[in-house]
Amino acid sequence: MKVILTTITRSPRGNPMRSTRMLEADQIRVGRGAECELRLADPRVPLHTRTIILGRNAPQMYDAVDLNAEATGVYRSQTLTPGTSFKIGPFQLEVLEPGPDADFSITVELVQPLPGKSSLSAKDIYEQARRAPVSKRTASWLLFGIIITLFLLLPVLSFVQYQLPEANSRQETQLDQAKRKMTLGADAAWSPGKIAIGHQPFANDCKLCHSKSFTRVQDADCRACHQTLADHVSPQMAAGTGLDEVRCASCHRDHTGTLGLKQQISHYYMAECSACHADIKQRLPDTLTGNVSDFATEHPEFRISFLAGAHDAQGKAAVSRSSLTNKAKLTEKRGLKFPHNVHLDPRGVRSPQGLVKTDCTTCHVPDSSGVRFKPVTMKDNCQSCHELRFEVAAPERQVPHGNVDEVLSTMRDYYSYLAINGIVLNRATGAADDSSAARGIPGKSAAAEIRLSSNSDVQRQVQLSAQEIFEKTTCFSCHEVTRLDSAGGKTSWSIAPVSQAPLWLPKAKFMHSKHEMLSCNGCHAASTSKSAADILIPDIESCRSCHAGNKPEPRKIVSNCGLCHGFHEVSHEASQKNMPANHGLWPSARDAALLQANPATGKAP
């Protein structure tokens, strides 16, 4: 911004004399300080009182005091158009037409000079001071004693008095309560202001935060309550960014009013994130985080967490992270066969009750947190269509939806019961090696009867029925089944563990409950998905259709960094605890708890 600054002085006869110079700066600070571009050298002017910047339509003048309190979100400004006149202390300032070579022009004139020098000599002043009733030294010591007594000794004595054992054991009287409320005899003499709402339940117990007298609040005092919050980055990385020198109270300053902490957090989200993340690649070349300055203009594609590896001995699947731009890598290994497009067919899905029309809400029910959905289970969501029958002659009997041993045990118990009690199965029979006749095919009419008379008959019937449901009909249609042939001639099967998908965006705060007015298909392309391995998460462009960045846009939601992200990482200790899901301003242990709450069970659900 180019500024023409004209200083007006007056001759002894009152004629104006002008001195003009050109300034070129991004902003013009006005005040008595030496750092000010427009310096008003007069003791009656504050060090920094105004700041002038070039706005979109005209120069704007801001109150410097308000600029120092941006956390309140209040800015007092004044548009400076030609002809505008205002006073700062004893100076008169007037805005002029800038001309073609400048952006702004202003004149400054001292209209109220300081009074003339005193006619008293230094010796006269000294003699007058000597004749005063109290010398300056005596007065300063007296004032010092008063301050120490009122604002140090009395509060300390009051504090000690109420910490004595007998004081804590007896019933507090109205006089004691009155003493506590006295400004000079209580901690209120030291308190810089009201405490935040979240800290008010223990506002009267100063030692909870101020564990050491006459020292600043330590990080250990904050972590005593906020145990789930970790640092912003690892300690090794913090040393290269300067964050290792920052205390909790450097950003979270209490005693600034009941809403002071909330206002500070809002200001942090609006301005401070891009201060580091706009050029994070230059600051930390090895980081996987992309440069971010604004969600609408500069924000990398989402990086998601997904099941990408085989299950370990405990049945847990390996979780990997990758950007949505890496389409070839984004395949989730969940151990399940599930075509969404079949179940979302508008004509309906075949079931024992006929064609049934289903949609996303048929299986996906939101949980109490509003973040995720309740796990899909066989009993609640699948068994009404996918029955677990194993014997055509007894369609009411079903195997449990569990591990392989439980299924084989149920079959063995059933056929053993038939053999012991001589119960005849009314279904077709055939040669000894005719497995299709021996097991019976659902839907075929029964032609004859069969009796299980020995243990070998029972074992053979169990193997035939198990082979049918594991390899050809029931289990095979949804699960990855592997046949295991043992040396003794008995056959068993292994079913791949099924894992619930992890929280795809663990570094972000996303609530489905806030988006329930939208259609599921608007964000998730489930109607065209043919495999459970598909990751049906929308990309960043889909979110940008409704979310703007820091600047307002028509029919869009203003979205700063704090809308989706928190500052603190989740500590390792918190991630190991079974904490209930919550969704506060900070992600705390919510994301970690959701990731840990649904590990692979090693069984088909």
Side-chain angles (χ1 to χ4, degrees):
M1 178 172 63
K2 294 183 179 180
V3 179
I4 299 176
L5 175 60
T6 302
T7 303
I8 301 177
T9 57
R10 298 285 176 173
S11 68
R13 294 187 177 184
N15 297 324
M17 296 183 294
R18 300 175 181 269
S19 175
T20 302
R21 61 189 177 101
M22 176 72 75
L23 294 177
E24 188 169 354
D26 294 333
Q27 63 179 5
I28 303 299
R29 291 167 293 182
V30 183
R32 176 167 49 89
E35 75 279 5
C36 296
E37 286 78 8
L38 178 49
R39 185 165 180 261
L40 305 178
D42 192 290
R44 294 168 290 179
V45 178
L47 291 175
H48 181 199
T49 179
R50 301 287 192 277
T51 299
I52 300 173
I53 65 174
L54 185 61
R56 180 178 299 177
N57 299 319
Q60 301 284 328
M61 182 172 65
Y62 291 87
D63 191 330
V65 175
D66 285 342
L67 287 178
N68 292 334
E70 282 183 344
T72 63
V74 178
Y75 304 90
R76 291 189 297 183
S77 64
Q78 177 181 357
T79 302
L80 301 179
T81 56
T84 302
S85 179
F86 55 96
K87 291 186 65 175
I88 297 180
F91 292 87
Q92 181 75 28
L93 291 82
E94 183 176 1
V95 181
L96 306 178
E97 285 289 346
D101 298 329
D103 301 312
F104 181 61
S105 179
I106 190 169
T107 63
V108 180
E109 181 181 5
L110 179 63
V111 296
Q112 294 179 356
L114 285 169
K117 296 182 179 179
S118 174
S119 58
L120 294 176
S121 63
K123 183 178 180 180
D124 295 335
I125 297 176
Y126 174 74
E127 291 296 333
Q128 288 183 3
R130 285 188 59 186
R131 291 193 296 269
V134 180
S135 67
K136 290 189 292 183
R137 180 180 297 274
T138 303
S140 53
W141 275 109
L142 180 61
L143 183 60
F144 175 77
I146 293 174
I147 294 175
I148 289 296
T149 301
L150 295 181
F151 300 104
L152 180 61
L153 296 180
L154 286 180
V156 168
L157 291 174
S158 176
F159 175 80
V160 172
Q161 175 186 359
Y162 287 103
Q163 296 302 313
L164 295 176
E166 56 270 18
N168 293 329
S169 60
R170 65 183 177 84
Q171 185 71 25
E172 188 176 47
T173 64
Q174 293 184 351
L175 179 59
D176 295 330
Q177 296 176 1
K179 288 181 179 180
R180 286 184 178 273
K181 296 180 181 180
M182 290 177 58
T183 303
L184 298 181
D187 290 336
W190 294 352
S191 177
K194 291 185 177 180
I195 201 168
I197 291 179
H199 294 165
Q200 286 183 359
F202 49 83
N204 292 328
D205 193 354
C206 303
K207 293 188 298 182
L208 285 179
C209 295
H210 302 273
S211 59
K212 296 182 180 179
S213 302
F214 304 103
T215 59
R216 300 182 300 181
V217 176
Q218 305 297 307
D219 287 353
D221 300 328
C222 301
R223 292 182 183 275
C225 294
H226 300 275
Q227 299 178 6
T228 62
L229 293 182
D231 298 322
H232 184 53
V233 295
S234 63
Q236 296 80 6
M237 186 178 295
T241 60
L243 290 174
D244 54 338
E245 302 294 333
V246 179
R247 300 184 306 118
C248 299
S250 298
C251 300
H252 306 285
R253 302 183 65 86
D254 208 342
H255 292 284
T256 57
T258 56
L259 299 178
L261 289 177
K262 182 177 180 180
Q263 292 170 343
Q264 293 168 33
I265 293 171
S266 300
H267 170 62
Y268 143 74
Y269 280 137
M270 293 172 58
E272 300 302 330
C273 296
S274 60
C276 290
H277 283 268
D279 59 347
I280 193 70
K281 287 291 188 182
Q282 182 177 355
R283 291 170 176 264
L284 300 171
D286 297 333
T287 183
L288 298 178
T289 303
N291 290 337
V292 180
S293 60
D294 188 274
F295 180 75
T297 58
E298 186 180 15
H299 190 291
E301 184 57 86
F302 300 144
R303 291 180 64 233
I304 66 171
S305 299
F306 61 99
L307 301 175
H311 293 72
D312 58 18
Q314 288 74 34
K316 293 183 179 181
V319 178
S320 180
R321 281 181 63 79
S322 179
S323 171
L324 288 178
T325 56
N326 191 357
K327 300 295 183 182
K329 188 176 180 180
L330 296 177
T331 301
E332 198 155 43
K333 299 179 181 179
R334 301 179 57 188
L336 184 69
K337 301 175 184 176
F338 184 84
H340 276 89
N341 62 332
V342 173
H343 293 77
L344 295 177
D345 191 333
R347 296 172 297 182
V349 183
R350 288 185 300 174
S351 74
Q353 295 79 30
L355 288 177
V356 177
K357 292 185 177 181
T358 60
D359 56 20
C360 300
T361 60
T362 304
C363 298
H364 299 288
V365 179
D367 60 15
S368 59
S369 70
V371 179
R372 302 195 71 188
F373 295 87
K374 296 179 180 179
V376 176
T377 63
M378 179 69 181
K379 177 182 178 182
D380 297 333
N381 306 105
C382 307
Q383 198 160 355
S384 61
C385 293
H386 296 272
E387 296 181 335
L388 303 178
R389 295 181 295 176
F390 65 94
E391 174 55 55
V392 67
E396 74 283 355
R397 297 301 299 267
Q398 299 188 33
V399 294
H401 187 260
N403 59 31
V404 174
D405 292 339
E406 291 175 349
V407 173
L408 295 177
S409 177
T410 300
M411 291 182 175
R412 191 176 298 109
D413 291 345
Y414 175 72
Y415 289 120
S416 297
Y417 176 81
L418 296 181
I420 293 173
N421 293 277
I423 299 175
V424 177
L425 289 177
N426 185 21
R427 60 182 172 84
T429 60
D433 59 349
D434 186 1
S435 61
S436 63
R439 67 174 181 267
I441 300 177
K444 297 288 185 178
S445 59
E449 298 179 348
I450 183 173
R451 181 188 301 276
L452 303 177
S453 58
S454 65
N455 184 59
S456 61
D457 290 344
V458 171
Q459 293 297 334
R460 180 171 177 271
Q461 187 59 53
V462 169
Q463 289 290 314
L464 292 174
S465 297
Q467 182 177 353
E468 178 71 17
I469 66 171
F470 281 127
E471 299 182 11
K472 299 182 179 180
T473 58
T474 309
C475 304
F476 177 80
S477 62
C478 298
H479 297 280
E480 298 176 0
V481 182
T482 303
R483 184 170 182 169
L484 305 174
D485 293 321
S486 63
K490 294 184 179 181
T491 302
S492 185
W493 293 264
S494 173
I495 298 179
V498 177
S499 299
Q500 184 180 8
L503 196 65
W504 279 333
L505 298 173
K507 301 294 184 179
K509 298 181 297 184
F510 179 86
M511 296 188 70
H512 280 92
S513 59
K514 299 294 185 181
H515 298 76
E516 59 185 5
M517 76 293 296
L518 302 175
S519 168
C520 300
N521 290 329
C523 297
H524 305 284
S527 59
T528 59
S529 173
K530 300 180 180 180
S531 172
D534 295 337
I535 298 178
L536 306 176
I537 188 171
D539 58 14
I540 191 172
E541 292 302 326
S542 176
C543 298
R544 282 172 174 168
S545 63
C546 294
H547 289 269
N550 292 330
K551 298 180 181 180
E553 293 186 26
R555 304 179 66 84
K556 289 188 178 183
I557 302 171
V558 175
S559 306
N560 56 29
C561 302
L563 187 67
C564 299
H565 298 284
F567 181 84
H568 295 275
E569 294 285 348
V570 181
S571 65
H572 175 73
E573 292 78 9
S575 66
Q576 304 303 317
K577 296 179 180 179
N578 186 17
M579 302 185 66
N582 61 76
H583 195 79
L585 181 62
W586 304 101
S588 63
R590 171 183 56 83
D591 293 341
L594 289 174
L595 282 171
Q596 298 294 325
N598 298 288
T601 60
K603 303 178 182 180

